[in-house]
Amino acid sequence: MESMRDYVPHEVSPIKLRPPEQYFKSNAAMDLLSTYKQDYNPYPINRVRPCMPQERKYSSDDKMTTVPTYKADYLPWKQPKRDMIKPPHTFRPAEDKFDCRTTHQDEYLYKGPVITKSCKPFRSPRITKIPLDTMTNYKLNYVAHPLSKRHAHVPEPFKPSKEPFDGLTTHKQSYKGLAGPPAQSVKPPYVRPDLANFEGTTEFREKFLAWPMAPPVSRKPAAYTPPKEKMDLKTMAQIHYVDPHGRPATSCKPLARVVTNTDPFDHCSTMKEDYKHWDYSKPKAIVPHCEVTLPKVPMDTLTTFQSHYVPHPLPFTKSFKPRFPASRPHVPFVDETTYATCYTPKKVHICPATYKEPPGYVFEKIDEAGHRRFRPATVAQDRCASSLNIGDRRSSLPGGSLSQTGLKEIAMKA
């Protein structure tokens, strides 16, 4: 309802389109000239001379001096060997045998297990004589009903039609071919252009002609003649530096002189002086004139929700949660639980199989599996063993013998 009050329908008129200007055909002839044809005129082309200087060969009849600068200037000095500054080696390992024991092994000795006393209160077992009721709701209420026989659907046998198959379709019956002339091509005939006026030359072939090139001069290499003398395979270091304990050569190169100039550095270059930056501003974009008149009053930027739906303070809700009762330190704390009242502990019996010779049982035999068979010594012990539920079951062996898995039989590995 609120949107129906705010949004009032207005009258909408169709947009008026501006009619395009009428085209008038010009009768003047087109000159078909371009800027390239008017400004870039052809000039005569001359061959560029090579910029590389001509090769010159210098020959001299003087004998070459084969003594290098290193051999003439850097001569070995006759100086004694320097003493080493390394400290003397005084470490001597101990001759005693290493015991390989740690501080933890020496200080923290093993004192054996600590015997702890249980502080759990003793609870006497409560044995009930009421037999266990094994009936459940499932046994009382859910009665098994007989299932009816499932219906099996018998399909009907296929009966073929007695009418013969004609093999006709709707297309064969309705659309029959009619005799008529074949379809002719609408493609225009191919007319070969006249090749008599075709010159077959281009501007590149006419103006850019190949320059005559002289063949390269090839010089015949001189024939190699091997030397007749035997080659000396010794180096200058092997000939002159014979002593292995020689002193390394000291550099005779003079120290580099750092020239300090107090004048400021002139960072101007020919590029910065000659090619200066022009004051250029980006031209403004040619934007069409906007025909929409904008209102002079600024927009309030309010929506219907912001103007009509004003926020209200949240209502205070009363809590109906009951308060906690006050503490009563004078009332004693009830420390009884459901486990302490209902779940009575059972008496733990020691399994007779833990003894080497079980008390109250007599050794009978060793079976095929290697187990020792025992039987109760008296009939009273047999009944007592039946009343105590040790967790075993009665064996089916003849003679009332006992086994480890039976109720009255204890098997031990021989």
Side-chain angles (χ1 to χ4, degrees):
M1 298 295 294
E2 206 59 47
S3 60
M4 294 176 64
R5 297 173 187 174
D6 297 337
Y7 299 97
V8 181
H10 297 277
E11 183 180 358
V12 180
S13 58
I15 301 174
K16 296 181 179 180
L17 299 177
R18 186 177 180 181
E21 297 180 358
Q22 188 177 2
Y23 173 73
F24 297 98
K25 187 177 180 181
S26 178
N27 298 325
M30 188 174 181
D31 55 358
L32 299 175
L33 294 177
S34 62
T35 311
Y36 185 86
K37 292 183 179 180
Q38 292 179 358
D39 299 340
Y40 296 93
N41 301 323
Y43 294 96
I45 302 174
N46 300 325
R47 185 176 182 182
V48 182
R49 295 181 180 180
C51 300
M52 295 181 63
Q54 190 176 1
E55 184 181 0
R56 296 181 181 180
K57 297 181 180 180
Y58 300 93
S59 59
S60 178
D61 298 336
D62 299 338
K63 189 177 181 181
M64 181 179 177
T65 305
T66 57
V67 180
T69 309
Y70 187 88
K71 184 177 181 180
D73 298 341
Y74 298 95
L75 302 176
W77 293 359
K78 297 180 180 180
Q79 292 185 358
K81 184 180 179 182
R82 292 185 300 175
D83 298 334
M84 297 182 65
I85 315 176
K86 185 177 180 181
H89 184 70
T90 58
F91 174 73
R92 296 291 183 273
E95 298 179 356
D96 299 339
K97 188 178 180 181
F98 187 63
D99 55 354
C100 302
R101 291 185 62 83
T102 60
T103 309
H104 184 84
Q105 295 177 355
D106 296 340
E107 301 295 339
Y108 299 94
L109 303 177
Y110 179 70
K111 299 180 181 180
V114 181
I115 301 175
T116 57
K117 183 179 179 181
S118 178
C119 300
K120 186 178 180 180
F122 176 75
R123 293 183 181 274
S124 59
R126 299 180 183 178
I127 302 174
T128 177
K129 297 182 180 179
I130 301 173
L132 180 66
D133 188 8
T134 59
M135 294 298 295
T136 60
N137 295 336
Y138 185 84
K139 293 181 180 180
L140 293 175
N141 300 330
Y142 295 92
V143 182
H145 297 279
L147 298 175
S148 58
K149 189 176 180 180
R150 188 175 180 180
H151 174 71
H153 178 72
V154 180
E156 298 180 358
F158 174 72
K159 296 180 180 179
S161 178
K162 297 180 180 180
E163 297 292 336
F165 184 68
D166 53 359
L168 295 177
T169 60
T170 309
H171 184 82
K172 291 181 179 180
Q173 292 179 358
S174 303
Y175 300 93
K176 298 180 180 180
L178 302 177
Q184 297 180 0
S185 176
V186 195
K187 184 177 180 181
Y190 175 72
V191 180
R192 184 178 178 182
D194 189 13
L195 300 178
N197 299 329
F198 185 70
E199 298 179 0
T201 59
T202 60
E203 183 181 359
F204 185 85
R205 292 181 180 180
E206 291 178 356
K207 296 184 179 182
F208 297 94
L209 303 177
W211 299 101
M213 295 291 293
V217 180
S218 60
R219 187 175 58 181
K220 187 177 181 181
Y224 172 74
T225 55
K228 298 180 180 179
E229 299 177 358
K230 189 177 181 181
M231 184 177 180
D232 188 7
L233 300 176
K234 290 185 178 182
T235 60
M236 290 189 294
Q238 295 177 358
I239 297 173
H240 299 284
Y241 297 94
V242 182
D243 189 8
H245 304 289
R247 187 177 181 181
T250 307
S251 176
C252 299
K253 185 178 180 180
L255 299 176
R257 296 179 60 186
V258 180
V259 181
T260 57
N261 192 5
T262 57
D263 298 336
F265 178 71
D266 187 9
H267 60 278
C268 295
S269 61
T270 310
M271 178 76 182
K272 292 183 179 180
E273 292 179 357
D274 297 343
Y275 299 93
K276 295 182 179 181
H277 183 71
W278 291 3
D279 296 335
Y280 173 76
S281 60
K282 188 177 180 180
K284 296 182 179 180
I286 302 174
V287 183
H289 179 67
C290 183
E291 298 180 357
V292 180
T293 57
L294 301 177
K296 298 181 180 180
V297 181
M299 186 177 180
D300 54 358
T301 65
L302 289 177
T303 60
T304 309
F305 184 84
Q306 294 178 355
S307 57
H308 293 277
Y309 295 94
V310 183
H312 297 282
L314 298 175
F316 178 75
T317 56
K318 183 180 180 181
S319 177
F320 293 94
K321 185 179 180 180
R323 297 183 178 180
F324 291 100
S327 60
R328 295 179 293 177
H330 58 278
V331 180
F333 179 71
V334 181
D335 56 348
E336 293 184 358
T337 60
T338 308
Y339 184 85
T341 55
C342 301
Y343 297 93
T344 55
K346 306 296 181 181
K347 185 177 180 181
V348 180
H349 300 277
I350 300 175
C351 182
T354 57
Y355 298 97
K356 188 175 182 180
E357 296 291 340
Y361 293 91
V362 181
F363 175 74
E364 182 179 0
K365 64 176 181 178
I366 298 176
D367 59 359
E368 298 176 357
H371 297 280
R372 302 177 65 187
R373 303 286 180 172
F374 293 85
R375 59 180 177 80
T378 59
V379 180
Q381 291 180 356
D382 191 0
R383 294 177 180 177
C384 183
S386 301
S387 62
L388 296 176
N389 188 6
I390 306 176
D392 300 337
R393 59 184 179 82
R394 191 170 184 82
S395 177
S396 61
L397 298 175
S401 60
L402 301 178
S403 64
Q404 191 177 10
T405 57
L407 179 62
K408 302 177 183 178
E409 186 180 52
I410 304 169
M412 301 180 67
K413 192 72 175 178

